[in-house]
């Protein structure tokens, strides 16, 4: 493993994550002080140079998003931090909020300053009750220390942060659904365009970024965009928090320098995943979240970067890597994934609401000897295409990604129980 320098976690994990004194002693709020002494466009320029790709899953360049919002004159502007983290196998935002809440909050305050916003919101998934309370505590401490409230650092900048609880729906993590839910409406995605930078929270210009994206902002401001870029891949600066779970020996959150280590390193290096538990063989890994593709052992030498993974038909996504050993039948695994999407589909559009149920029916037929015919496999594949083309939002569009990639890798398992067509020899 190459040395991680500079990075997000080093020096950021305090003995008491809620001690603002400790945070300030470790250099906390120096980035905010630096940013408030800079022109807003210069802060944005550093973020663009850093090539920070959004860490929430869609990998949209943060610099581009910030530049877009800065060109909009309408006020007020709102800052929204997406801390919904409903993706199974993803727990890195929880890690940041638990272990380094001040770093996240500092990143949000920098954004508030850049856009002259008055209010920021952190939309935290409903299940993270304890974290919501901790964030409220951390915000109170920042107020007392003078980095939130009126006339912050005597710059005339007034800003506050509010913690909003989600109710535990995966679709509420979609950026427009986050805004609807924050406004107290049903958490369903909106039609886009208009872009959220133009018509966002309360129909006003809004910045929505993920927890990990915001937590990287103080580091970028401190070291500069060029240094941040250098720590990662030429197409995407910095590091990525990867969540390892499943059948590897070491499970948890690991910081990976983008473009420097392979998937094999991540799963097998003794400082990272540590290899397969119980000395079983790796059968597949599910990468990027439930909506991401399934990867095979043949792809282990792929470098972990947005570009390399994309070229290999894989994805960084949310940072999740679920490792599965040889004991797991692929159809059983896919049934679990599909049940998740059936449960989480908001029901607004037919391709997703009905499509996911049909996927499960087909998977059940394919696991039952003689229940499915060859023609059913073709229907299943055309259903996958329809869902991806015709679903309203990212949930339905990507719900069958795992199935589609698994089909290419484990065709024999899909076909094992299929009865021959009548008349076939
Ligand atoms: C169904 C669905 C769920 C999502 N869940 C999350 C989530 O929990 N957290 C998150 O940051 N982004 C999530 N996203 C992505 C957001 O729509 C958006 O891209 C992200 O919040 C933008 O922040 P970023 O650019 O910093 O990544 C989800 C997208 C979809 C389609
Ligand atoms: S694809 Fe349609 S039904 Fe599925 S979550 Fe999105 S809007 Fe709701």
């Amino acid at each position: 493993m190459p040395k991680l320098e500079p990075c997000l976690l080093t020096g950021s994990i305090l003995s008491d994550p809620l001690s603002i004194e400790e945070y300030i002693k470790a250099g906390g709020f120096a980035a905010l002080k630096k940013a408030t002494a800079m022109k807003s466009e210069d802060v944005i320029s550093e973020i663009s140079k850093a090539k920070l790709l959004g860490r929430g899953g869609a990998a949209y360049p943060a610099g581009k998003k910030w530049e877009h919002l800065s060109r909009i004159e309408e006020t007020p502007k709102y800052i929204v931090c997406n801390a919904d983290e409903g993706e199974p196998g993803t727990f890195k935002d929880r890690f940041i909020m638990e272990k380094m809440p001040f770093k996240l909050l500092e990143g949000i305050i920098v954004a508030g300053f850049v856009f002259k916003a008055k209010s920021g919101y952190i939309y935290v998934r409903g299940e993270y009750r304890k974290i919501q309370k901790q964030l409220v505590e951390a915000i109170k401490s920042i107020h007392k220390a003078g980095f939130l409230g009126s006339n912050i650092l005597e710059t005339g900048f007034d800003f506050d942060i509010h913690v909003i609880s989600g109710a535990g729906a995966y679709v509420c993590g979609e950026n427009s659904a986050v805004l609807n839910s924050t406004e107290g409406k049903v958490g369903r995605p909106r039609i886009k365009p208009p872009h959220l930078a133009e018509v966002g929270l309360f129909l006003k210009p809004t910045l929505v970024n993920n927890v990990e994206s915001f937590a990287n902002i103080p580091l970028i401001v401190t070291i500069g965009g060029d240094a941040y870029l250098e720590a990662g891949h030429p197409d995407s600066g910095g590091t990525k928090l990867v969540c390892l779970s499943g059948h590897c020996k070491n499970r948890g959150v690991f910081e990976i320098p983008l473009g420097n280590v392979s998937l094999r390193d991540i799963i097998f290096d003794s400082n990272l995943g540590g290899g397969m538990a119980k000395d079983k063989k790796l059968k597949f890994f599910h990468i990027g979240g439930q909506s991401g593709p399934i990867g095979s052992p043949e792809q282990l030498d792929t470098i972990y970067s947005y570009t390399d993974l994309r070229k290999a038909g894989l994805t960084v996504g949310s940072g999740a890597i679920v490792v599965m050993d040889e004991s797991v039948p692929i159809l059983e695994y896919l049934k679990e994934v599909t049940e998740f999407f059936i449960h989480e589909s908001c029901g607004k559009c037919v391709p997703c609401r009905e499509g996911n149920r049909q996927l499960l029916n087909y998977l059940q037929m394919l696991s039952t000897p003689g229940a499915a015919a060859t023609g059913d496999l073709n229907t299943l594949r055309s259903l996958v295409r329809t869902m991806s083309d015709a679903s309203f939002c990212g949930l339905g569009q990507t719900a069958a990604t795992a199935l589609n990639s698994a089909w290419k890798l484990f065709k024999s398992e899909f076909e094992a129980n299929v009865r021959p067509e009548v008349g076939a020899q």
Side-chain angles (χ1 to χ4, degrees), residues 349-371:
C349 64
V350 174
C352 169
R353 187 185 64 227
E354 300 306 324
N356 276 303
R357 290 181 196 164
Q358 288 307 318
L359 282 189
L360 186 61
N361 283 345
Y362 279 104
L363 288 168
Q364 267 153 357
M365 278 160 66
L366 289 168
S367 338
T368 313

Side-chain angles (χ1 to χ4, degrees), residues 59 68 108 342 388-389 397:
H68 185 179
I108 297 173
I342 292 173
S388 133
D389 291 346
Q397 287 157 10

Side-chain angles (χ1 to χ4, degrees), residues 156-212:
F157 163 51
D158 306 335
F159 189 65
D160 217 334
I161 301 178
H162 311 274
V163 175
I164 305 286
S165 175
Y170 174 70
V171 74
C172 283
E174 194 274 343
N175 51 10
S176 63
V178 168
L179 303 188
N180 278 349
S181 183
T182 303
E183 290 176 7
K185 296 178 183 150
V186 177
R188 280 185 169 160
R190 297 180 185 171
I191 289 177
K192 286 179 265 178
H195 198 280
L196 303 182
E198 286 145 21
V199 183
L201 189 65
F202 307 120
L203 306 182
K204 294 293 175 188
T206 301
L207 176 79
V208 184
N209 271 130
N210 167 258
V211 168
E212 189 183 347

Side-chain angles (χ1 to χ4, degrees), residues 153-342:
L153 295 168
E154 297 183 355
T155 57
F157 163 51
D158 306 335
F159 189 65
D160 217 334
I161 301 178
H162 311 274
V163 175
I164 305 286
S165 175
Y170 174 70
V171 74
C172 283
E174 194 274 343
N175 51 10
S176 63
V178 168
L179 303 188
N180 278 349
S181 183
T182 303
E183 290 176 7
K185 296 178 183 150
V186 177
R188 280 185 169 160
R190 297 180 185 171
I191 289 177
K192 286 179 265 178
H195 198 280
L196 303 182
E198 286 145 21
V199 183
L201 189 65
F202 307 120
L203 306 182
K204 294 293 175 188
T206 301
L207 176 79
V208 184
N209 271 130
N210 167 258
V211 168
E212 189 183 347
S213 306
F214 275 121
N216 272 286
I217 298 300
L219 178 62
I220 295 172
V221 172
T222 304
I223 65 172
D226 290 333
Y228 184 87
L229 178 63
E230 230 168 83
H233 184 274
D235 295 341
S236 50
T239 60
K240 176 79 190 84
L241 297 186
V242 168
C243 312
L244 271 180
S245 62
H247 297 146
C248 52
K249 281 187 189 143
N250 309 324
R251 295 176 289 256
V253 176
F254 299 91
E255 185 168 19
I256 302 297
L258 287 162
N260 285 292
V261 298
S262 66
L263 288 168
R264 187 184 302 284
D265 295 329
I266 295 174
I267 297 173
F268 289 93
D269 189 295
S270 57
N271 292 316
L272 300 170
M276 300 303 291
K278 298 181 189 163
D279 288 330
K280 291 217 166 131
K281 270 199 204 145
L282 170 69
K283 178 166 174 179
F284 64 88
F285 52 89
H286 192 182
I287 189 163
Q290 294 291 282
S291 51
I294 301 279
S296 73
E298 284 70 44
Q299 292 169 301
L300 280 177
D301 291 320
T302 310
I303 294 295
Y304 195 86
S305 82
Y306 288 88
T307 311
D308 293 276
L309 288 173
R310 192 176 52 245
K311 278 186 195 156
L314 302 170
T315 184
V316 169
S318 65
I321 303 183
V322 181
V323 178
M324 288 286 121
D325 71 26
E326 56 197 324
S327 69
V328 180
I330 192 68
L331 293 179
E332 293 310 309
Y333 184 83
L334 292 171
K335 278 187 213 168
E336 296 284 336
V337 172
T338 308
E339 273 167 11
F340 168 75
F341 284 115
I342 292 173

Side-chain angles (χ1 to χ4, degrees), residues 352-422:
C352 169
R353 187 185 64 227
E354 300 306 324
N356 276 303
R357 290 181 196 164
Q358 288 307 318
L359 282 189
L360 186 61
N361 283 345
Y362 279 104
L363 288 168
Q364 267 153 357
M365 278 160 66
L366 289 168
S367 338
T368 313
T374 315
D376 291 317
L377 278 173
N378 297 334
T379 315
L380 174 62
R381 305 214 57 219
S382 112
L383 175 61
V384 166
R385 277 196 299 276
T386 306
M387 287 175 66
S388 133
D389 291 346
S391 291
F392 183 85
C393 84
L395 189 149
Q397 287 157 10
T398 57
T401 304
L403 192 153
N404 201 27
S405 50
W407 158 258
K408 290 169 198 151
L409 299 173
F410 302 105
K411 224 168 163 186
S412 58
E413 280 187 61
F414 279 79
E415 291 174 344
N417 291 316
V418 170
R419 66 174 186 274
E421 294 293 352
V422 179

